[in-house]
Amino acid sequence: INPWQHWQTRATFATKPDHSYLSSSSIISQYKNNDGLKIAFSRTRQRTDKETISADDGTISAIWPATHHWQLVGKWHYSFLYDAPRETFLGAEYQSCCWTLRFLQRRYRDDILDPSTENDSFMFELELNGLGSAGKDITSIIENDILSF
């Protein structure tokens, strides 16, 4: 049994041809087991020039199938540069044979430097399997915001 069989890690580095420094770098480590549990950790950094870091962020995200019908999701995105959270969300999904119900609570900042721009939202979506859905498109938020899922 290989304890690392469910882990995957990748790193990317970029530089501009006319510069002698890394303009961006990232590392992502993911855990995915056979039961559907997915957890990801990432750290990204960007530079505008050799001395100036323009972004330094970390993210933890997870999808956990709690039972046959229930799935929980969450994300925490933090700016180390500004010592403040950029975005957090926590959600749940209930799926039956004929319909799916999703809830998502999300907090984010429009401007990381201004705490007064913090926004809270609560979304729900009812999907009639095979027919369509009503409410905010939570699925696309989860697919776009949870790392590499």
Side-chain angles (χ1 to χ4, degrees):
I1 297 176
N2 180 358
W4 301 106
Q5 68 184 349
H6 299 293
W7 283 94
Q8 179 183 24
T9 300
R10 61 180 188 268
T12 58
F13 304 95
T15 186
K16 296 179 181 177
D18 55 340
H19 295 98
S20 62
Y21 62 90
L22 287 175
S23 58
S24 67
S25 61
S26 69
I27 185 164
I28 299 172
S29 193
Q30 300 172 320
Y31 174 83
K32 296 180 184 181
N33 73 11
N34 296 334
D35 296 326
L37 175 64
K38 301 171 186 174
I39 303 171
F41 307 92
S42 76
R43 180 81 184 252
T44 59
R45 181 177 278 183
Q46 295 179 343
R47 293 181 177 273
T48 51
D49 58 44
K50 193 170 188 174
E51 287 81 31
T52 308
I53 296 173
S54 59
D56 186 5
D57 295 349
T59 303
I60 299 171
S61 56
I63 296 176
W64 178 47
T67 69
H68 180 67
H69 294 287
W70 283 98
Q71 176 171 275
L72 304 174
V73 297
K75 175 185 174 183
W76 180 71
H77 182 173
Y78 190 81
S79 170
F80 293 105
L81 185 62
Y82 299 110
D83 195 24
R86 287 189 176 272
E87 178 185 30
T88 58
F89 68 70
L90 185 62
E93 174 184 275
Y94 180 84
Q95 188 170 33
S96 74
C97 64
C98 305
W99 55 274
T100 303
L101 184 62
R102 296 179 185 93
F103 297 95
L104 188 71
Q105 188 281 328
R106 182 178 179 216
R107 176 174 286 172
Y108 61 96
R109 286 189 182 178
D110 290 326
D111 181 353
I112 190 68
L113 297 175
D114 185 359
S116 70
T117 65
E118 193 166 83
N119 297 293
D120 285 302
S121 63
F122 183 77
M123 298 169 263
F124 76 93
E125 177 182 17
L126 174 63
E127 180 178 337
L128 302 174
N129 297 341
L131 294 176
S133 64
K136 182 73 175 165
D137 187 8
I138 295 173
T139 305
S140 66
I141 293 171
I142 293 169
E143 289 174 353
N144 292 332
D145 287 352
I146 300 270
L147 293 171
S148 302
F149 296 140

